[in-house]
Amino acid sequence: MRLATIDNCTPDGALILVSPDAERCLYAGGTLQQAIERWNDAEPGLRALAARLEHGEGEPLDHHRLLAPLPRAWQWLDGSAFPQHGELMQQAFNLPPIETDRPLMYQGLSDRFLAGHADVPLPSEADGIDFEGEYGVMTDFVPMGTTPEQAMAHIRLVILINDWSLRAIAPVEMKTGFGWVQAKPACSAAPFAVTPDALGDAWQDGRVHLPLHVTLNGQWFGHPHGGEMAFGFHELIAHAARTRDLVAGTIIGSGTVSNADYARVGSACISERRAIEMIETGKPQTDFLSFGSHVHMEALGESGSPFGAIHQQVVQAGLPSYSQ
């Protein structure tokens, strides 16, 4: 089952079901947030709409009106579940290893997720503009103390995310001992959220077993595979819920998709490629993004592109205007 949110001039948009070929849709009524808050009651009706789409019903889908599946979320928790990414950073920058057997996670900005086709306004090229391709899940209500085994049942939808980062700011904020604020602007999300069963064999052990294809300005950048997570999404959920409930509509990210075979499959962020260049040649060679840069991300499997594509341009943010 493939769900999306279409712009209807309200903050949360309107929930739609999308056909397997992404050409047709049916309106579900309400919003995705409302549906996920009462998922057990809403799911039968949503699946009935999905079945109608599979039989050829539906109206043409206007892709230009699609928003992020959740244009704003109650909570966004981002993990760092691909150990190769952290190991490359530690080696390149001579950093001590993080001595923990627990998942790494921070809480980020959640009051907006940019549409996968929207321009990305940022203030300065000097901030070290970078993309980070990752997978994510949406949960229903998760009680405090939920175990990893129990958490699997709370994963309702799977999505594709570009977690934008400002690399020149991040080290400054990290040194304060507090979390990121300025270094982590709004994320972007591919247009379609899918139920785990819709991924077929690509959903195993709480992981998305699909390559994430990334191009920068039309040139191949990488296609790392989502299966190399050290912690599955069910384990990330249990970690986040150890001391608190998770509200329905919580989004949890995998962190930058990264593989041990990076020499062949490339990377899903510039910072990792720069780290590899530092290790191999002593200095980084790949620049961070400039205004006008285009980034394309898409997970591709045997059945096509389940989440749709993120294809965005970085633009300079305008000066704010103030009304009296």
Side-chain angles (χ1 to χ4, degrees), residues 235-248:
E235 294 166 305
L236 296 180
I237 292 168
H239 172 76
R242 181 176 178 269
T243 59
R244 56 175 168 171
D245 298 333
L246 303 183
V247 66

Side-chain angles (χ1 to χ4, degrees), residues 26-72:
L26 286 170
Y27 281 76
T31 68
L32 179 53
Q33 179 63 41
Q34 291 169 337
I36 209 162
E37 287 176 353
R38 55 181 187 86
W39 187 260
N40 289 333
D41 293 329
E43 185 178 15
L46 296 175
R47 290 199 177 274
L49 289 174
R52 288 171 55 189
L53 285 164
E54 290 180 2
H55 286 89
E57 294 187 43
E59 61 183 75
L61 175 61
D62 184 351
H63 289 256
H64 297 290
R65 292 179 57 202
L66 292 174
L67 304 175
L70 272 184
R72 54 181 180 171

Side-chain angles (χ1 to χ4, degrees), residues 70-313:
L70 272 184
R72 54 181 180 171
W74 284 108
Q75 185 165 223
W76 156 236
L77 301 172
D78 196 15
S80 182
F82 290 89
Q84 185 61 53
H85 178 71
E87 291 169 9
L88 286 170
M89 296 298 150
Q90 291 162 11
Q91 185 177 351
F93 295 100
N94 196 28
L95 300 173
I98 299 174
E99 300 292 346
T100 182
D101 57 359
R102 302 169 64 186
L104 304 178
M105 184 175 288
Y106 75 94
Q107 185 159 348
L109 183 156
S110 65
D111 67 359
R112 71 202 62 192
F113 280 79
L114 302 177
H117 58 78
D119 286 346
V120 181
L122 293 168
S124 173
E125 294 175 338
D127 291 336
I129 303 168
D130 198 0
F131 53 83
E132 291 189 56
E134 57 184 273
Y135 295 109
V137 297
M138 295 183 198
T139 73
D140 60 9
F141 174 78
V142 181
M144 179 171 56
T146 292
T147 66
E149 293 74 22
Q150 294 167 336
M152 287 293 287
H154 293 285
I155 298 172
R156 297 307 188 180
L157 296 167
V158 188
I159 60 175
L160 173 62
I161 298 169
N162 185 352
D163 177 28
W164 293 97
S165 296
L166 301 177
R167 300 299 189 182
I169 299 175
V172 178
E173 290 193 306
M174 290 176 68
K175 289 179 181 177
T176 67
F178 285 76
W180 286 310
V181 176
Q182 295 178 346
K184 288 292 185 178
C187 298
S188 305
F192 307 132
V194 303
T195 48
D197 63 281
L199 293 174
D201 291 341
W203 178 254
Q204 299 179 38
D205 303 320
R207 295 162 171 83
V208 180
H209 288 259
L210 288 174
L212 176 52
H213 292 258
V214 182
T215 62
L216 173 58
N217 296 324
Q219 301 297 313
W220 175 87
F221 198 89
H223 59 272
H225 197 274
E228 289 192 22
M229 290 173 70
F231 298 95
F233 280 110
H234 56 306
E235 294 166 305
L236 296 180
I237 292 168
H239 172 76
R242 181 176 178 269
T243 59
R244 56 175 168 171
D245 298 333
L246 303 183
V247 66
T250 292
I251 300 176
I252 294 183
S254 66
T256 306
V257 179
S258 180
N259 291 174
D261 190 15
Y262 58 82
R264 181 180 64 86
V265 301
S267 300
C269 73
I270 294 174
S271 184
E272 180 173 300
R273 176 180 278 192
R274 286 168 61 90
I276 294 167
E277 291 167 348
M278 290 174 66
I279 294 167
E280 294 179 347
T281 70
K283 63 179 181 180
Q285 300 171 15
T286 302
D287 293 330
F288 289 115
L289 301 182
S290 302
F291 297 135
S293 295
H294 287 84
V295 179
H296 183 97
M297 295 182 182
E298 194 166 10
L300 296 174
E302 293 181 359
S303 59
S305 174
F307 310 107
I310 296 174
H311 185 78
Q312 296 184 290
Q313 178 180 222

